[in-house]
């Protein structure tokens, strides 16, 4: 039982970097802020959202998101504003646009290209596997070796 308690207390838990002084008094706005923050990449950490990062830049972005929401911006306006300042890279899931078409299309194109390459390879290999029939002499020699 005591081992279980030790494991529970030592188990890593999700640590959110949002400080208590950043939390908005309006629960609806705070929920929107958290949702937006989860979509934005910390430019320092790069693999964390600003909601999870302790970096100073992430804190500044969290405060900016909350400020824009308090001023009446929609979620889309907040995201557009931050993307206009930091570029598409700030989004953890980049939008589908002319600039990101290659990013979104490359995996599908590679999958199709790889499938076509496998089909061509299999057909060439199958074509080489079919040979000519044995001559009468070769067949007689084979039967002799097999003891027929």
């Amino acid at each position: 039982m005591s081992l279980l308690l030790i494991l529970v207390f030592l188990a890593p838990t999700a640590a959110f970097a949002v400080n208590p002084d950043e939390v908005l008094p309006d629960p609806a706005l705070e929920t929107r802020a958290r949702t937006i923050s989860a979509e934005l990449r910390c430019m320092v950490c790069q693999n964390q959202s600003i909601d999870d990062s302790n970096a100073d830049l992430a804190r500044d972005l969290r405060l900016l998101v909350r400020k824009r929401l308090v001023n009446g911006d929609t979620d889309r306006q907040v995201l557009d504003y931050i993307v206009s300042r930091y570029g598409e890279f700030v989004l953890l899931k980049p939008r589908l646009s002319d600039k990101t078409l290659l990013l979104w299309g490359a995996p599908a194109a590679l999958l199709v290209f790889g499938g076509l390459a496998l089909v061509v390879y299999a057909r060439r290999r199958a074509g080489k596997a079919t040979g000519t029939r044995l001559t009468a002499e070769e067949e007689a020699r084979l039967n002799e070796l097999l003891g027929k």
Side-chain angles (χ1 to χ4, degrees), residues 30-45:
E30 181 59 28
T31 302
R32 287 177 54 202
R34 289 287 179 105
T35 303
I36 294 170
S37 295
E39 296 177 28
L40 297 173
R41 178 188 319 272
C42 173
M43 302 302 280
V44 176
C45 308

Side-chain angles (χ1 to χ4, degrees), residues 11-139:
T13 58
F16 293 107
V18 177
N19 297 324
D21 62 330
E22 297 174 29
V23 177
L24 294 172
D26 182 3
L29 280 180
E30 181 59 28
T31 302
R32 287 177 54 202
R34 289 287 179 105
T35 303
I36 294 170
S37 295
E39 296 177 28
L40 297 173
R41 178 188 319 272
C42 173
M43 302 302 280
V44 176
C45 308
Q46 295 190 4
N47 286 332
Q48 285 184 318
S49 69
I50 63 170
D51 207 31
D52 298 332
S53 175
N54 287 322
D56 290 336
L57 180 59
R59 176 181 165 75
D60 292 343
L61 284 173
R62 286 192 305 267
L63 291 173
L64 178 61
V65 165
R66 284 163 172 75
K67 178 182 173 189
R68 303 283 301 190
L69 288 174
V70 168
N71 289 340
D73 286 2
T74 64
D75 295 1
R76 184 70 164 176
Q77 287 172 328
V78 173
L79 285 173
D80 288 343
Y81 178 77
I82 292 178
V83 168
S84 72
R85 291 185 68 186
Y86 293 96
E88 287 283 328
F89 184 71
V90 77
L91 297 173
L92 283 171
K93 289 184 179 179
R95 299 173 182 160
L96 182 61
S97 68
D98 295 341
K99 296 176 186 175
T100 61
L101 193 58
L102 181 63
L103 176 69
W104 285 103
L110 287 173
L111 187 64
V112 169
F113 179 75
L116 289 174
L118 282 173
V119 168
V120 168
Y121 175 76
R123 285 188 178 176
R124 284 186 182 170
R125 187 169 174 105
K128 290 180 182 178
T130 58
T132 58
R133 291 192 46 86
L134 295 176
T135 63
E137 292 175 8
E138 293 170 333
E139 198 168 328

Side-chain angles (χ1 to χ4, degrees), residues 137-148:
E137 292 175 8
E138 293 170 333
E139 198 168 328
R141 176 75 178 133
L142 181 61
N143 287 335
E144 181 184 322
L145 289 173
L146 292 174
K148 290 185 178 180

